[in-house]
Amino acid sequence: MTDMQGQPVFHINGEAGWINDPNGLVLFRGEYHVFFQYYPHAAQWGPMHWGHVKSRDLTHWERLPIALYPDETEDGCFSGSAIEWQGKLWLLYTGFCENGGGENVRQRQCLASSEDGVHFVKHGVVIGEKELPPEYCPWDFRDPKVFRKNGAFYCVAAARKRDGRGRILLFRSDDLFRWEFVLDVLGRDGEGSMTECPDYRDDLGLLLYSEQFQPAAGAAHRNIHSCFARIGTLDLTRGFCGGEGEPVDYGFDFYAPQTFAGAPVMIGWLDMWDRTNPTERYGWAGQLTVPRRIEVQNGELRQTPVYTGREVLRRQDVSFLSDRLKAGAVRLNAENVRSLCLLLHKKGERFVSFSLRGEEWVFDRSRAGEPIRGAERDADSLAGVRRMPCESKERVQIEIVSDNFSVEIFVGGRSLSSVVCAEADADGLELTVDADACEYVRYEIV
Ligand code: FRU
């Protein structure tokens, strides 16, 4: 793959301009389609379009024309989802109308369709104020995720109770055009001021959602905006029955994940609101995470990164190793780990570190190139640190997916994803480990 200066090598971005949430993830005619919130004219958020790429293998992405543009009916095409139906590709997204702002804003769910998966025709509002029960705010109603269940269409959408906090609502339709309200999925306020981007998968019993400005509560909530997974079932008369919300990712930069209609694969936005974006200088901001195959094990969401890799280096019984890795992947298998420290994106005394400290994995990007500043004020955030619980030291598998502007780390199905803005030639890797056995394998992305 080509290594363009100032661009990620295999992570989806807008090339030029701003992107945020992944939208409309769908396996359509054997190809994975990914849309995303896109403002093509500047590296800052602006009137939202839907950018579009597709792939056969989830690693090599072909850029397609912009799928949705704002127009005279809406000032922005906000987040949403896709589904295949009767040979066509359908998009359900939020039409955002500014109307002078505040409570005059209107957010309505709109439909678009395509015969070829590339060119889309808009069909207008299908879930508007009429379908939204009056106790919810029509100015905070967005991000529909459509799915099939019991021979009908359903969608979950984010909403907010008047004078309340975030909610997830369920709607039902027979034809994608006429929808009716079914129920409030959790039946109580979310933790954040607003819930965003809900997703439900019946095959896994998985409810995903993002929370804005939820109160801090330990390591699980250190980002000002965070994402949660609940495992259970969606009962069409009682709502969601299941476990509490567990964090989906432990890193700095992970938000608004969505899963593919037609495949148990999830992608998130590998960035965060209320942070600085040093990549602006290259004319872009925002990228998507590596796709992750997902499953539920022992009531928990487990993620494995998906990429096509060719093994280029294998070492057994490592205690110290120095290598090079910028855009590529590394897999470590270690037994009975007493200590482990991995330095990435290293050049001299500048690096990102990932190390075992007591019962935690600790990620530190404070010494990696360009600082990234966020709105968080807790000690870890100010120190450039994120933590992830270490479940076992007996058999440890660590997978690192690294690109020019990111590091995603997977341990035992959990993930920790962060943007890193090191110098272009900061490609050193150093591993120091004390364990009964440690195997190191590096992959080139091909
Ligand atoms: C989440 C979000 C969505 C909204 C979109 C706007 O990151 O705020 O709720 O649809 O971004 O770009």
Side-chain angles (χ1 to χ4, degrees):
M1 304 187 83
T2 51
D3 186 351
M4 283 180 288
Q5 180 71 22
Q7 290 282 325
V9 176
F10 59 95
H11 283 76
I12 298 166
N13 75 343
E15 214 166 274
W18 160 281
I19 79 167
N20 53 286
D21 317 353
N23 294 156
L25 305 187
V26 62
L27 184 57
F28 178 65
R29 297 184 189 153
E31 295 178 307
Y32 295 92
H33 286 254
V34 170
F35 303 83
F36 46 84
Q37 290 286 281
Y38 185 33
Y39 184 59
H41 307 300
Q44 286 88 29
W45 191 86
M48 283 289 113
H49 301 52
W50 274 36
H52 188 189
V53 294
K54 69 171 184 178
S55 170
R56 289 201 168 273
D57 61 6
L58 290 167
T59 300
H60 301 87
W61 297 96
E62 180 190 339
R63 214 167 274 283
L64 295 171
I66 289 175
L68 297 176
Y69 287 82
D71 59 20
E72 60 288 346
T73 64
E74 57 209 7
D75 303 313
C77 304
F78 277 15
S79 286
S81 55
I83 197 162
E84 179 177 359
W85 177 242
Q86 295 183 330
K88 290 195 201 176
L89 185 55
W90 299 85
L91 306 181
L92 192 61
Y93 69 97
T94 302
F96 165 82
C97 297
E98 179 91 46
N99 285 338
E103 296 191 359
N104 290 327
V105 164
R106 285 296 173 271
Q107 299 185 345
R108 307 178 181 106
Q109 317 324 317
C110 304
L111 189 66
S113 68
S114 170
E115 302 275 350
D116 61 2
V118 180
H119 304 93
F120 289 84
V121 180
K122 289 184 181 177
H123 301 291
V125 176
V126 292
I127 315 178
E129 238 171 301
K130 204 156 47 69
E131 289 76 21
L132 181 69
E135 62 269 33
Y136 302 94
C137 312
W139 56 91
D140 260 337
F141 175 38
R142 57 184 180 267
D143 310 339
K145 175 73 177 10
V146 58
F147 56 96
R148 298 275 299 166
K149 189 174 162 81
N150 301 350
F153 294 102
Y154 285 88
C155 89
V156 281
R160 195 158 64 78
K161 270 223 145 151
R162 291 175 193 264
D163 301 321
R165 302 171 84 86
R167 298 278 176 140
I168 300 170
L169 305 184
L170 181 70
F171 293 84
R172 181 191 183 283
S173 172
D174 286 316
D175 60 6
L176 291 170
F177 283 83
R178 280 161 304 166
W179 291 85
E180 61 185 14
F181 172 75
V182 181
L183 48 75
D184 185 327
V185 170
L186 294 170
R188 61 183 135 100
D189 275 353
E191 287 181 56
S193 59
M194 177 62 187
T195 300
E196 298 189 307
C197 301
D199 186 350
Y200 176 71
R201 287 192 80 83
D202 216 27
D203 56 350
L204 296 179
L206 171 69
L207 179 67
L208 288 173
Y209 55 96
S210 301
E211 294 270 10
Q212 279 187 314
F213 300 104
Q214 84 282 3
H221 300 262
R222 285 230 176 78
N223 290 327
I224 268 201
H225 318 289
S226 295
C227 313
F228 299 91
R230 284 177 190 250
I231 313 299
T233 45
L234 181 55
D235 182 302
L236 296 174
T237 53
R238 289 190 302 155
F240 186 79
C241 313
E244 288 305 301
E246 295 294 332
V248 182
D249 189 278
Y250 291 83
F252 278 99
D253 302 298
F254 186 95
Y255 197 67
Q258 190 180 100
T259 69
F260 278 85
V265 176
M266 176 179 80
I267 292 181
W269 179 33
L270 179 43
D271 210 322
M272 183 55 68
W273 296 112
D274 303 306
R275 297 257 165 79
T276 56
N277 265 303
T279 63
E280 280 175 1
R281 84 156 66 101
Y282 303 111
W284 65 274
Q287 55 189 321
L288 302 186
T289 67
V290 71
R292 295 125 187 253
R293 201 158 292 285
I294 52 170
E295 55 188 335
V296 172
Q297 267 176 24
N298 304 327
E300 274 193 45
L301 176 66
R302 299 279 173 206
Q303 310 175 40
T304 318
V306 184
Y307 55 85
T308 56
R310 179 173 56 221
E311 183 180 319
V312 284
L313 182 71
R314 181 179 287 256
R315 291 275 181 275
Q316 305 290 345
D317 295 318
V318 174
S319 57
F320 177 80
L321 170 142
S322 167
D323 194 9
R324 297 204 168 294
L325 172 74
K326 192 75 185 238
V330 156
R331 220 172 274 175
L332 294 176
N333 275 299
E335 282 172 31
N336 299 321
V337 178
R338 290 172 287 278
S339 71
L340 189 149
C341 177
L342 188 61
L343 306 182
L344 298 159
H345 290 220
K346 182 172 181 337
K347 185 182 173 192
E349 287 310 301
R350 294 189 158 280
F351 50 77
V352 164
S353 71
F354 183 70
S355 48
L356 184 62
R357 287 197 219 147
E359 304 308 309
E360 279 181 333
W361 294 103
V362 179
F363 173 86
D364 182 343
R365 70 175 178 189
S366 64
R367 269 169 293 192
E370 195 97 15
I372 299 168
R373 305 203 190 287
E376 295 87 348
R377 286 289 161 268
D378 60 282
D380 271 0
S381 301
L382 294 173
V385 165
R386 283 291 177 268
R387 300 164 194 273
M388 173 161 76
C390 168
E391 274 198 331
S392 155
K393 298 177 190 173
E394 283 161 27
R395 283 184 188 283
V396 178
Q397 188 180 75
I398 303 180
E399 203 157 353
I400 314 284
V401 176
S402 171
D403 201 337
N404 285 342
F405 296 95
S406 62
V407 170
E408 291 162 90
I409 302 170
F410 298 82
V411 188
R414 293 190 172 147
S415 76
L416 190 156
S417 311
S418 296
V419 171
V420 172
C421 291
E423 283 174 56
D425 59 351
D427 63 353
L429 177 155
E430 264 179 34
L431 171 65
T432 314
V433 52
D434 179 14
D436 285 356
C438 180
E439 180 192 61
Y440 173 95
V441 188
R442 177 159 61 82
Y443 300 86
E444 199 174 71
I445 307 294
V446 289

